[in-house]
Amino acid sequence: MTTPIYYVNAEPHIGHAYSTIVADTLNRFYQCLGYTTRLQTGTDEHGEKVVQAAQKEGLEPKEYADRISDFFRRIWPELNIYPDRFIRTTDADHIRVVTHILNKVYAGGDIYFSEYEGQYCLGCERFYTERELVNGLCPDHQAKPTLVKEANYFFRMSAYQDWLIDHIKKNPDFIRPERYRNETLSFLSEPLEDLCISRPKSRLSWGIPLPFDTNYVTYVWIDALINYLSGLGFPEGNLFPRFWPSAQHIIAKDILKPHGIFWPIMLKAAGVEPYQHLNVHGYWNIEQTKISKTLGNVVRPKELIDQFGTDGVRYFFLREMVFGLDAHFSEEAMIQRINADLANNLGNCFSRSLAMIEKYCSGIVPEPDEIGPAEEDLKNHTLQVQETVKTEPQRLAFHKALMSLWELIDEINKYIDTQAPWTLAKDPGKKPRLMTVLYTLAETLRQISLLLFPFMPQTSIRMRQQLGMGVKEGAPVWAETMTWGSFSPGTHIQKGPALFPRIEKGITKMNSITQSQKAATVSSFAALPFEEFQKWDLRVAKVLTAERVPKSKKLLKIEIDLGEKRTLVAGIGQDYTPEDLTGKEIVVVANLEPTKLMGVESQAMLLAARDEKGLKLIVPDGEILPGTRVK
Ligand code: MSP
């Protein structure tokens, strides 16, 4: 399972996050079906755009690429995504594979040298034919291309056009959904022009040198596409033979042409079988516009994760987009989905079921008595949902899988209401019936917890923990776990905190610090859900200056560097002198509502601990860049 490798000229945004969430979900899904899987992602680091972005920052391209690549590498675990390989196109093994493929295609006679004049879009880093331009502009960047004339190496794509048409026709789901297959066939209905695969070093040196002419570097798209092979160690080792026959690429429609046309043809020319599926999704738009750095409407995944939790974000994206079509992102829609589907439906259903098992069965999953028609219905519905969840993601219809799960959750809620365990509990003669109802609830929730794994892994684990099931590392293999009725009576449940705290409208403005802070203090002594902890913005700060607040024995006014300058007031004046503090690194809570202490505004709170010997500041174990987040 692969994602595009993302350009390092911009930080990750939710568009990138979506493709990567989809790849991870599919990867986990196939693990649940019992397959061994592999997930690859990475960064695309060569080319003119990166050189320009680096220049703007006054950095060398590699330094710049290191920095942005790291943002990508670090964001995925926050979404519970752990790729098996994170490929950088500056990695030595990738460069070796690109060289290998180029040599092979060159030796096969499919690369030739020629003079070319054409319209070049810098944004896309490619030549456009007149036919492809819309009103003389690049359709993607709405920018006028530049007329460029130079001698370059070309790849004879035209030689493989008929082969590709045939391959797409013989393999109806090679490119899917169908609209993108049709779009590709429509590109192919016109003669293919050969592809310029080099850039003269005199114009661009930031790239992989062509092995047969070191005056040129490789066109960035050729370099980038090959990542899918280099990530598998091609041509050596056993990863390539093992995984390539079932390779699935996940991309958005913006890069259909390189993936649907250039790439299969390159593979064919290099003597490699094509990938199995190209899965193409639409765009996430904000107010009808595609998200882009240039348009300044980027939503960073980190902000969403901090506010809505990993699984809130994963759920929203998978549930809201019909794979293949565009979808709209808004914070309001996100809050609504999370509150309605997660906090209310799933969250309530789960917590009230567990509360009843606690109350009426001392927290032990009971032995069911005879089952009646209501249980039979719920069981049949669950088995249908199993089928849907096992099949729809294979067609990329994640929203359908989730919809069917939520229909089942509605059904459970109705079952609880109609069976009314609280009424059964009042009549000792109805005890066997009560046990049957509670067992059926526990078993249905167990099934849901297992089926949720690909989409919301953390929630799946939390549910299974609270249900008292042993949770093994990795994906639950459904064929081994999904037999109806295999929840062992006698299991001790361990009811924990709510799965999803309701999101109050007031706290939703991103970066709205004060309100979310209030929400965080509500559950003071209950076990704190991780999402709540994430609301605390703890940071390393460096003390710039400190002085006593006049007329106060205890209060010190401290100027800190937090990445930005702030003032805080702390009651530590009997334990520390201003001189002790200057230059020291400390840890502060950076998102507290400001407060005034003896007339001085305090904009952060430092962390310290006191025992009988006195007060000690909490400090980092070594030097850390001021402003770094504490986790
Ligand atoms: N570097 C190339 C890809 C090379 S792959 C061999 C590239 N990088 S990119 O950073 O621009 O990423 C494009 C991809 O990011 C899209 O194909 C899609 O997967 C994702 N998205 C970026 N913006 C998006 C939206 N607004 N909506 C959905 N996905 C989007 O192209």
Side-chain angles (χ1 to χ4, degrees):
M1 218 65 67
T2 72
T3 75
I5 49 169
Y6 304 109
Y7 284 133
V8 290
N9 63 343
E11 281 179 48
H13 62 62
I14 54 168
H16 307 126
Y18 177 72
S19 305
T20 316
I21 291 172
V22 164
D24 180 65
T25 302
L26 268 182
N27 199 55
R28 290 175 184 272
F29 169 79
Y30 281 106
Q31 288 171 357
C32 289
L33 292 188
Y35 290 92
T36 307
T37 66
R38 181 171 173 86
L39 175 64
Q40 296 187 174
T41 186
T43 44
D44 186 356
E45 306 186 7
H46 291 123
E48 288 175 39
K49 276 196 267 190
V50 177
V51 174
Q52 288 181 348
Q55 267 165 1
K56 267 200 201 146
E57 305 272 327
L59 294 173
E60 287 301 313
K62 180 64 166 60
E63 266 179 313
Y64 180 76
D66 285 349
R67 189 163 93 192
I68 308 281
S69 177
D70 214 46
F71 286 139
F72 279 96
R73 185 196 296 276
R74 280 186 309 180
I75 193 70
W76 305 135
E78 307 241 13
L79 283 164
N80 225 328
I81 299 173
Y82 298 91
D84 295 295
R85 172 75 199 265
F86 185 95
I87 305 136
R88 300 186 55 186
T89 53
T90 48
D91 286 340
D93 61 337
H94 171 75
I95 296 172
R96 268 200 308 279
V97 179
V98 172
T99 309
H100 173 89
I101 298 272
L102 284 172
N103 274 333
K104 194 147 182 205
V105 178
Y106 189 65
D110 285 322
I111 292 177
Y112 63 93
F113 190 67
S114 158
E115 181 98 3
Y116 185 80
E117 183 176 59
Q119 300 288 352
Y120 189 77
C121 171
L122 184 65
C124 302
E125 302 205 20
R126 72 171 178 97
F127 286 100
Y128 269 90
T129 59
E130 290 298 339
R131 189 159 52 85
E132 286 175 314
L133 298 174
V134 179
N135 301 327
L137 302 181
C138 156
D140 232 29
H141 294 88
Q142 308 299 325
K144 196 168 163 33
T146 323
L147 190 68
V148 172
K149 182 177 182 184
E150 61 193 20
N152 265 311
Y153 285 87
F154 288 83
F155 171 44
R156 223 181 285 284
M157 287 216 298
S158 44
Y160 296 92
Q161 179 157 4
D162 291 342
W163 165 80
L164 182 57
I165 295 173
D166 193 50
H167 185 79
I168 296 175
K169 288 194 170 157
K170 280 197 190 127
N171 297 276
D173 57 3
F174 179 58
I175 300 176
R176 58 189 183 176
E178 204 182 348
R179 51 171 40 217
Y180 298 110
R181 170 180 188 264
N182 294 342
E183 201 174 308
T184 313
L185 284 173
S186 136
F187 284 142
L188 288 168
S189 64
E190 306 271 346
L192 267 187
E193 290 197 21
D194 291 345
L195 180 69
C196 174
I197 59 145
S198 63
R199 298 289 180 266
K201 260 197 185 157
S202 51
R203 184 152 73 81
L204 173 75
S205 60
W206 180 235
I208 301 179
L210 285 187
F212 38 83
D213 188 342
T214 49
N215 292 320
Y216 286 85
V217 294
T218 312
Y219 170 42
V220 64
W221 263 106
I222 302 289
D223 166 356
L225 287 163
I226 294 172
N227 94 85
Y228 299 130
L229 294 183
S230 52
L232 288 173
F234 178 84
E236 285 117 31
N238 58 10
L239 292 177
F240 174 75
R242 185 157 190 208
F243 290 106
W244 185 251
S246 37
Q248 298 213 29
H249 299 318
I250 289 130
I251 60 163
K253 61 185 183 183
D254 52 341
I255 51 178
L256 174 61
K257 192 169 177 186
H259 283 82
I261 297 183
F262 305 170
W263 182 224
I265 290 185
M266 275 167 66
L267 287 165
K268 180 77 184 161
V272 179
E273 284 299 304
Y275 50 79
Q276 189 187 22
H277 294 297
L278 179 64
N279 305 312
V280 189
H281 62 77
Y283 286 152
W284 280 97
N285 293 324
I286 296 182
E287 288 163 10
Q288 317 302 328
T289 318
K290 189 191 169 200
I291 302 159
S292 90
K293 188 184 165 193
T294 346
L295 297 171
N297 62 350
V298 164
V299 178
R300 292 194 183 84
K302 183 76 180 101
E303 283 171 12
L304 295 182
I305 299 163
D306 285 351
Q307 199 164 356
F308 302 110
T310 299
D311 279 356
V313 174
R314 289 178 67 117
Y315 177 75
F316 175 81
F317 283 122
L318 294 168
R319 173 65 184 80
E320 199 76 8
M321 184 176 251
V322 176
F323 194 93
L325 304 180
D326 290 356
H328 295 280
F329 174 82
S330 79
E331 210 189 333
E332 290 70 35
M334 191 150 185
I335 292 163
Q336 223 208 316
R337 274 254 168 254
I338 293 179
N339 279 347
D341 297 2
L342 301 185
N344 286 358
N345 285 5
L346 174 59
N348 279 349
C349 168
F350 190 65
S351 73
R352 72 176 172 148
S353 301
L354 293 201
M356 288 188 290
I357 295 174
E358 258 183 354
K359 186 159 172 196
Y360 305 129
C361 303
S362 320
I364 294 170
V365 176
E367 183 88 50
D369 197 57
E370 259 178 37
I371 65 160
E375 287 72 38
E376 198 62 47
D377 283 352
L378 202 53
K379 171 184 166 184
N380 288 336
H381 191 165
T382 309
L383 297 183
Q384 272 169 22
V385 171
Q386 274 192 19
E387 266 324 292
T388 309
V389 175
K390 283 180 191 164
T391 48
E392 290 299 347
Q394 302 192 39
R395 297 195 275 263
L396 294 321
F398 307 105
H399 71 294
K400 285 198 186 156
L402 290 171
M403 268 162 72
S404 80
L405 274 163
W406 260 257
E407 275 162 21
L408 179 60
I409 293 166
D410 281 344
E411 199 62 33
I412 305 175
N413 274 325
K414 279 191 211 132
Y415 175 78
I416 299 177
D417 293 341
T418 49
Q419 300 307 315
W422 46 93
T423 312
L424 297 174
K426 287 188 193 135
D427 180 350
K430 301 252 169 72
K431 186 149 189 201
R433 183 74 204 129
L434 177 63
M435 301 294 107
T436 302
V437 171
L438 294 181
Y439 180 84
T440 306
L441 282 177
E443 172 60 3
T444 318
L445 289 168
R446 182 186 78 89
Q447 300 257 340
I448 290 176
S449 74
L450 294 165
L451 291 172
L452 273 179
F453 183 78
F455 315 94
M456 302 163 81
Q458 204 177 45
T459 304
S460 164
I461 292 172
R462 287 177 67 199
M463 285 177 74
R464 285 182 279 155
Q465 279 166 342
Q466 293 200 28
L467 284 166
M469 301 157 58
V471 180
K472 286 203 217 105
E473 212 186 306
V477 176
W478 288 336
E480 294 163 7
T481 50
M482 299 299 300
T483 312
W484 177 269
S486 43
F487 202 173
S488 314
T491 306
H492 284 255
I493 63 157
Q494 291 160 23
K495 190 169 181 322
L499 294 176
F500 299 96
R502 234 191 114 73
I503 296 168
E504 299 304 331
K505 281 263 182 306
I507 63 169
T508 59
K509 270 281 132 271
M510 310 235 197
N511 306 326
S512 161
I513 289 154
T514 48
Q515 299 282 359
S516 63
Q517 198 53 55
K518 277 184 199 148
T521 53
V522 173
S523 58
S524 25
F525 291 106
L528 190 67
F530 187 59
E531 294 86 324
E532 290 294 311
F533 166 70
Q534 285 179 312
K535 291 181 185 160
W536 290 78
D537 191 6
L538 300 176
R539 304 227 170 219
V540 172
K542 185 163 191 155
V543 176
L544 300 170
T545 58
E547 61 185 276
R548 292 195 179 273
V549 172
K551 300 201 197 110
S552 169
K553 269 194 212 153
K554 272 195 179 169
L555 293 184
L556 296 183
K557 177 183 168 195
I558 305 170
E559 301 281 351
I560 53 170
D561 172 7
L562 234 191
E564 59 183 82
K565 225 167 143 186
R566 292 225 203 145
T567 305
L568 71 82
V569 181
I572 59 170
Q574 291 175 319
D575 305 271
Y576 286 86
T577 66
E579 295 69 43
D580 292 337
L581 291 174
T582 309
K584 218 180 195 29
E585 288 209 313
I586 57 175
V587 176
V588 302
V589 184
N591 60 344
L592 275 182
E593 204 167 358
T595 182
K596 275 203 174 164
L597 294 166
M598 294 193 70
V600 188
E601 186 174 88
S602 180
Q603 301 156 333
M605 185 176 83
L606 57 72
L607 297 188
R610 184 187 290 284
D611 66 9
E612 66 277 13
K613 287 196 231 116
L615 176 140
K616 289 278 176 285
L617 288 170
I618 308 298
V619 299
D621 187 25
E623 208 171 314
I624 291 264
L625 194 68
T628 304
R629 183 128 195 212
V630 176
K631 297 200 239 187

